[in-house]
Amino acid sequence: MLLVPGDPLRPTRPDEHFAPEARAAREAGYAVAVVDHDELARGKDAVRAVASVPRDGTAIYRGWMLEAHRYARFVDALAARGVTLRTTAEQYRQAHEFPGWYPTLATVTPHSAWTVGAARTDFDKARLALGNGPAVIRDYVKSMKHYWSEAAFVPSLKDGDAAWQVASRFQQLRDDDFVGGFVLREFEQFTAAEVRTWWVHGRCALVGPHPDTPHDQPPDGIDLDWLAPLIDALRLPFVTADLTLRADGEWRVIEVGDGQVSDRPASIDPATLIAAVFDELQ
């Protein structure tokens, strides 16, 4: 079955953002059930959050992001009803959090270093390990690229105080949503809109635009032979990988994410996503 968040105002109906996918799944012959995402995100009562899910079976989630430990409670609450999520809690954390996927894809993504926690001393160790050039700061799950100059871009890692000012502003903006620690990534010059690729058991099921640029279609016949063995090596059931072209014409991986919580670009028909991805996950 497909699980989607319920509408906060009409809890028995799918959230408006995921309703098109729910409708497409039903039309394709899948059962669809709603869960209370707000309850899951608060972490107070995961059992209550899944109370309307039919007992027994296998499920795939398509919904809003959850912190990895909240997702683990989601998995456990469903298991108590005899329902198995196709992506385990361990697999979700590996795909969702930067340290889980970076070592496998290190050769095709900007060089990076990270901290465990938000201490200045650990930040400086990661900063010095990365070198003296420009960098981008994020945490384990998200950047603040829309606050580029104040909370994302560091012109020179050599200036420790200036870099820490950017990191501190980033943490301030993320507030309670700050996850894991700081990630520092070497800045690379990119020249094209990002492409979102969807992978099921190491095989590319769909290539499309990134949700931020839904009408910037990827080039025809994009070659992913270089990436397929690396995604396969992750041994994850359902992930996305966001790619873009570097200034020298080389494709680079910007981000990997769990496919369950990766947004669908508005320009991709929901039935296309369901057919391309969910059929393979059965």
Side-chain angles (χ1 to χ4, degrees):
M1 73 185 88
L2 172 65
L3 305 181
V4 297
D7 187 310
L9 299 180
R10 297 173 297 177
T12 62
R13 299 186 184 185
D15 185 290
E16 182 179 349
H17 190 80
F18 297 97
E21 291 180 32
R23 184 163 49 252
R26 287 195 184 97
E27 291 173 353
Y30 295 101
V32 176
V34 298
V35 298
D36 187 335
H37 175 270
D38 290 344
E39 196 73 49
L40 290 172
R42 286 193 296 265
K44 293 184 178 179
D45 194 344
V47 171
R48 179 180 176 183
V50 303
S52 65
V53 176
R55 292 185 177 273
D56 302 322
T58 301
I60 302 160
Y61 175 62
R62 280 289 296 155
W64 305 114
M65 283 186 184
L66 290 166
E67 293 182 33
H69 68 284
R70 308 288 193 209
Y71 183 86
R73 293 182 183 178
F74 182 29
V75 170
D76 290 344
L78 288 170
R81 300 182 67 81
V83 176
T84 301
L85 273 176
R86 294 285 285 124
T87 298
T88 68
E90 294 78 12
Q91 289 169 334
Y92 179 83
R93 183 182 291 274
Q94 184 183 353
H96 186 58
E97 297 188 357
F98 183 88
W101 61 263
Y102 173 80
T104 304
L105 280 80
T107 59
V108 296
T109 194
H111 183 48
S112 304
W114 61 88
T115 71
V116 178
R120 170 73 187 263
T121 53
D122 293 332
F123 176 83
D124 283 336
K125 289 178 183 178
R127 175 178 61 82
L128 293 171
L130 202 60
N132 294 326
V136 177
I137 291 177
R138 50 168 289 171
D139 66 12
Y140 286 10
V141 302
K142 191 175 177 61
S143 71
M144 297 297 288
K145 61 185 179 182
H146 299 301
Y147 295 85
W148 182 252
S149 61
E150 61 177 303
F153 181 63
V154 176
S156 173
L157 289 169
K158 188 176 181 178
D159 187 339
D161 288 340
W164 180 244
Q165 184 177 1
V166 174
S168 298
R169 178 58 174 155
F170 171 86
Q171 186 182 13
Q172 180 186 43
L173 289 170
R174 288 285 282 150
D175 197 19
D176 291 341
D177 293 326
F178 181 81
V179 176
F182 295 112
V183 177
L184 297 91
R185 314 204 69 195
E186 279 188 356
F187 175 75
E188 296 185 0
Q189 187 69 51
F190 301 123
T191 60
E194 290 183 33
V195 175
R196 174 154 290 182
T197 59
W198 304 75
W199 301 77
V200 178
H201 298 304
R203 188 188 71 83
C204 187
L206 182 65
V207 177
H210 189 275
D212 290 347
T213 53
H215 300 293
D216 288 336
Q217 295 297 322
D220 293 334
I222 182 173
D223 180 11
L224 296 175
D225 288 347
W226 57 276
L227 182 56
L230 299 174
I231 297 294
D232 185 58
L234 290 172
R235 297 291 184 262
L236 295 174
F238 182 24
V239 298
T240 56
D242 295 337
L243 322 173
T244 193
L245 281 171
R246 197 166 59 187
D248 62 0
E250 184 174 346
W251 283 101
R252 301 290 277 169
V253 174
I254 303 301
E255 181 79 87
V256 170
D258 183 82
Q260 298 176 110
V261 296
S262 296
D263 200 13
R264 172 182 57 86
S267 54
I268 290 183
D269 182 76
T272 299
L273 178 65
I274 294 297
V277 175
F278 287 80
D279 289 356
E280 296 291 335
L281 278 167
Q282 291 190 89

